[in-house]
């Protein structure tokens, strides 16, 4: 920082990293820069020639504004979007992918989103072509080809191999290149149901090839993680029959606190003390790195699986807001066992707004030791379930075939289409289940109540071996020979376990 006596003001400059676009700091129409000035009093200008921010004002104002800009850039980098753009992929099972037509079946209840409940539709195959013309020809906006190219909402079953390659590649690349020292780097699986919402047509039967061309705004693809109580009961029976052991229930409360500066968020998680119900801060995380998610979409009466790479980083006390939140831990409280109260002055004193709060009662099922996926009970049942997305996924990743490396920003849709055509005749036969590596399972079943009064049951699944390998890769910043092949074999084993689960756990949409 320098000080000009004649101007009676200090100046300081910050050069933005080359991989940080100016819009990440500016926001729309310089909204973020204006907010810098509102919060600190310093004036801010941007030099396009060398991607530099200049701050002017009193020394205290300049220091505060520069610190805020540095935090903004750091948190943007923590999201990993400078390495891989955000992608949400949904791969159909063969029955849906090859059906002459697909029915859009209305869900029995609305799907809850941040903006409120929305009508949702499941996908069900039809054996005959649709009786009505394509819905896209009657919509009041141009067809997808006439607009800027977008990711298709749904991908065919033949794309699965390329999508799994991309998942393994991104998980490896992000673990290696994430700029922060992460506390976790993992593949997290969610059980639920993939649905379409905001469908811009009244037609409820669509030709299969037409459905694969759908893009926003024809509809939105969503993944609903809320599960029926009967499914949870069936899941409990299945897990215990497979030898998984339930642990003691734990209760926690997690908050999302957002500032008026994009990217700067605080996600505290509190453990609820069993004795008196007080909250004890367990972790205080930044906005997570979640750039990629892949859902395997099955028939309406089957659970779907969504896989997501997640890397999380905790705030240190060098962050002034994090240090203040830790100091004021006792001001957060749990009321009536379901509602979290926060200090009333967070917005004024720390520029923080509560956007969501969740109280969670969780039980975890764990395997006493690593185990291989169960063998199919018979050849007939094996063939009947092999067309499901999880079964196809298990066959798609082979430990005997190296995973192709694709850059994080390459379009998965184009990679998938090219890969599906080029590997359809050369892919090796599926590896027998008896040859899959033994892995451990960690299945979390949680009853969740949010600050809007919503109640739901959620299930997530993790493989400790996969997550430990990714975290060690991140810490060592060096990829050992054959790492991706080993990771691919473990992922295939995990998906085979998921296929066994899906085949034995009851689900009604």
């Amino acid at each position: 920082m320098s000080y000009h006596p004649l101007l009676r003001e200090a100046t300081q400059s910050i050069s933005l990293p080359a991989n940080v676009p100016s819009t990440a700091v500016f926001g729309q129409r310089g909204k973020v820069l204006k907010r810098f000035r509102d919060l600190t009093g310093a004036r801010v200008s941007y030099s396009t020639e060398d991607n530099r921010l200049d701050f002017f004002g009193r020394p205290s104002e300049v220091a505060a504004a520069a610190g805020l800009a540095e935090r903004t850039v750091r948190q943007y980098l923590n999201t990993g979007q400078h390495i891989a753009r955000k992608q949400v992929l949904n791969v159909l099972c063969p029955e849906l992918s090859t059906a002459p037509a697909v029915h859009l079946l209305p869900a029995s209840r609305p799907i809850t989103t941040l903006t409120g409940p929305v009508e949702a539709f499941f996908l069900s195959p039809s054996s005959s072509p649709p009786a009505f013309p394509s819905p896209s020809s009657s919509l009041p906006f141009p067809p997808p080809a006439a607009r800027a190219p977008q990711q298709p909402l749904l991908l065919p079953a033949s794309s699965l191999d390329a999508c799994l390659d991309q998942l393994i590649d991104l998980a490896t690349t992000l673990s290696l290149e994430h700029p922060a020292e992460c506390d976790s780097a993992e593949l997290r699986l969610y059980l639920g149901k993939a649905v379409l919402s905001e469908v811009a047509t009244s037609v409820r039967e669509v030709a299969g090839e037409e459905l694969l061309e759908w893009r926003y705004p024809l509809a939105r693809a969503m993944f609903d993680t809320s599960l029926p109580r009967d499914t949870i009961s069936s899941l409990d029976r299945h897990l215990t029959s497979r030898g998984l052991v339930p642990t003691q229930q734990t209760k926690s409360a997690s908050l999302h606190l957002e500032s008026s500066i994009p990217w700067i968020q605080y996600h505290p998680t509190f453990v609820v003390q069993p004795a008196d119900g007080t909250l004890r801060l367990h972790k205080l995380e930044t906005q997570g790195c979640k750039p990629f998610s892949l859902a395997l979409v099955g028939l309406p009466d089957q659970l779907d699986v969504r896989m997501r790479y997640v890397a999380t980083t905790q705030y240190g006390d060098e962050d002034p807001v994090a240090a203040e939140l830790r100091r004021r831990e006792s001001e957060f409280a749990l009321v009536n066992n379901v509602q979290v109260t926060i200090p009333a002055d967070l917005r004024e004193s720390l520029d923080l707004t509560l956007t969501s709060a969740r109280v969670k009662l969780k039980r975890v099922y764990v395997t006493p030791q690593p185990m291989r996926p169960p063998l199919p009970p018979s050849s007939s049942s094996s063939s009947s379930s092999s067309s499901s997305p999880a079964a196809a996924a298990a066959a798609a990743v082979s430990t005997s075939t190296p995973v192709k490396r694709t850059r994080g920003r390459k379009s998965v849709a184009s990679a998938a289409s090219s890969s599906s055509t080029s590997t359809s005749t050369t892919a090796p036969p599926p590896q027998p289940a008896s040859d899959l590596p033994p892995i451990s399972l960690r299945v979390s079943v949680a009853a969740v109540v949010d600050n809007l009064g919503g109640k739901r049951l959620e299930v997530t699944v993790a493989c400790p071996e996969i997550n430990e390998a990714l975290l060690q890769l991140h810490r060592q910043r060096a990829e050992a020979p054959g790492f991706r092949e080993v990771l691919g074999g473990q992922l295939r084993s995990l998906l085979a376990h998921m296929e066994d689960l899906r085949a034995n756990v009851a689900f009604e949409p």
Side-chain angles (χ1 to χ4, degrees), residues 15 20 43 74 105 110 113 129 273 285 300 364 421 450 508:
S15 295
V20 175
R43 303 192 312 278
R74 184 165 56 250
L105 303 179
T113 68
Q273 300 300 302
E285 296 176 334
V364 179
T421 57
D450 61 38
E508 292 184 8

Side-chain angles (χ1 to χ4, degrees), residues 215-358:
R215 292 166 168 80
Y216 177 80
L218 280 171
R220 287 186 184 272
M222 301 175 54
F223 195 90
D224 181 27
T225 58
S226 178
L227 296 177
R229 185 174 298 275
D230 289 344
T231 296
I232 300 300
S233 300
S234 178
L235 177 67
D236 175 78
R237 292 190 296 270
H238 170 72
L239 294 177
T240 53
S241 72
R242 291 292 186 257
L244 277 76
V245 178
T247 61
Q248 188 70 28
Q249 285 186 336
T250 59
K251 193 171 186 178
S252 63
S254 57
L255 311 178
H256 281 197
L257 301 171
E258 297 185 5
S259 76
S260 58
I261 305 296
W263 315 113
I264 298 182
Q265 301 180 13
Y266 296 81
H267 298 172
T269 298
F270 299 87
V271 174
V272 181
Q273 300 300 302
D276 54 8
T278 57
L279 300 181
R280 291 292 177 263
L281 187 62
H282 174 59
K283 54 186 177 181
L284 181 54
E285 296 176 334
T286 68
Q287 184 177 359
C289 173
K290 305 174 183 178
F292 187 86
S293 120
L294 170 61
L296 308 178
V297 185
L299 299 176
D301 59 349
Q302 295 175 320
L303 283 168
D304 294 341
V305 178
R306 180 175 66 173
M307 296 175 280
R308 172 179 279 183
Y309 174 83
V310 180
T312 58
T313 306
Q314 290 205 51
Y315 281 104
D317 283 339
E318 69 278 0
D319 184 281
V321 175
E324 182 67 7
L325 289 174
R326 289 191 174 97
R327 187 184 69 81
R328 302 177 66 177
E329 172 190 29
S330 61
E331 298 181 41
F332 295 83
L334 185 65
V335 179
N336 297 327
N337 288 322
V338 295
Q339 184 178 1
V340 181
T341 60
I342 64 174
D345 66 336
L346 285 187
R347 181 191 291 269
E348 292 76 16
S349 62
L350 299 178
D351 185 39
L352 293 179
T353 301
L354 177 66
T355 57
S356 69
R358 291 158 46 102

Side-chain angles (χ1 to χ4, degrees), residues 137-467:
S137 61
S138 60
L139 294 174
F141 39 76
R147 302 191 305 272
Q150 295 185 21
Q151 178 74 45
L153 296 176
L154 304 165
L155 297 174
S158 59
S159 302
L160 184 56
D161 183 58
C163 292
L164 288 169
D165 285 352
Q166 187 78 350
L167 174 61
I168 293 173
D169 181 75
L170 277 176
T172 304
T173 301
L174 286 165
S175 297
L176 284 169
E177 300 181 8
H178 195 287
E181 294 300 323
C182 296
D183 297 283
S184 68
E186 61 181 335
L187 287 181
R188 191 177 301 169
L189 275 61
Y190 302 79
L191 301 184
K193 198 65 190 170
V195 296
L196 293 180
S197 66
E198 301 180 28
V199 178
T201 174
S202 59
V203 176
R204 294 295 176 257
E205 188 179 21
V206 185
E209 63 273 13
E210 287 286 345
L211 186 64
L212 292 174
E213 293 297 324
W214 276 28
R215 292 166 168 80
Y216 177 80
L218 280 171
R220 287 186 184 272
M222 301 175 54
F223 195 90
D224 181 27
T225 58
S226 178
L227 296 177
R229 185 174 298 275
D230 289 344
T231 296
I232 300 300
S233 300
S234 178
L235 177 67
D236 175 78
R237 292 190 296 270
H238 170 72
L239 294 177
T240 53
S241 72
R242 291 292 186 257
L244 277 76
V245 178
T247 61
Q248 188 70 28
Q249 285 186 336
T250 59
K251 193 171 186 178
S252 63
S254 57
L255 311 178
H256 281 197
L257 301 171
E258 297 185 5
S259 76
S260 58
I261 305 296
W263 315 113
I264 298 182
Q265 301 180 13
Y266 296 81
H267 298 172
T269 298
F270 299 87
V271 174
V272 181
Q273 300 300 302
D276 54 8
T278 57
L279 300 181
R280 291 292 177 263
L281 187 62
H282 174 59
K283 54 186 177 181
L284 181 54
E285 296 176 334
T286 68
Q287 184 177 359
C289 173
K290 305 174 183 178
F292 187 86
S293 120
L294 170 61
L296 308 178
V297 185
L299 299 176
D301 59 349
Q302 295 175 320
L303 283 168
D304 294 341
V305 178
R306 180 175 66 173
M307 296 175 280
R308 172 179 279 183
Y309 174 83
V310 180
T312 58
T313 306
Q314 290 205 51
Y315 281 104
D317 283 339
E318 69 278 0
D319 184 281
V321 175
E324 182 67 7
L325 289 174
R326 289 191 174 97
R327 187 184 69 81
R328 302 177 66 177
E329 172 190 29
S330 61
E331 298 181 41
F332 295 83
L334 185 65
V335 179
N336 297 327
N337 288 322
V338 295
Q339 184 178 1
V340 181
T341 60
I342 64 174
D345 66 336
L346 285 187
R347 181 191 291 269
E348 292 76 16
S349 62
L350 299 178
D351 185 39
L352 293 179
T353 301
L354 177 66
T355 57
S356 69
R358 291 158 46 102
V359 177
K360 182 185 297 185
L361 184 63
K362 181 172 69 174
R363 169 166 287 170
V364 179
Y365 296 76
V366 296
T367 50
Q369 59 186 8
M371 61 183 186
R372 288 186 171 87
L375 294 174
S378 66
S379 59
S380 59
S381 62
S382 175
S383 61
S384 65
S385 64
S386 62
S387 57
S388 66
V397 183
S398 175
T399 56
S400 61
T401 302
V403 176
K404 299 183 296 298
R405 298 196 63 165
T406 54
R407 291 305 302 164
R409 289 187 173 271
K410 184 176 180 180
S411 168
V412 173
S414 61
S417 61
S418 62
S419 175
S420 62
T421 57
S422 63
T423 63
S424 59
T425 59
T426 61
Q431 187 177 358
S434 58
D435 294 339
L436 292 173
I439 61 170
S440 305
L441 295 177
R442 181 180 174 86
V443 183
S444 300
V445 180
V448 181
V449 179
D450 61 38
N451 56 324
L452 300 178
K455 300 179 180 179
R456 55 191 176 276
L457 300 170
E458 298 180 343
V459 177
T460 59
V461 183
C463 170
E465 288 87 353
I466 291 177
N467 296 343

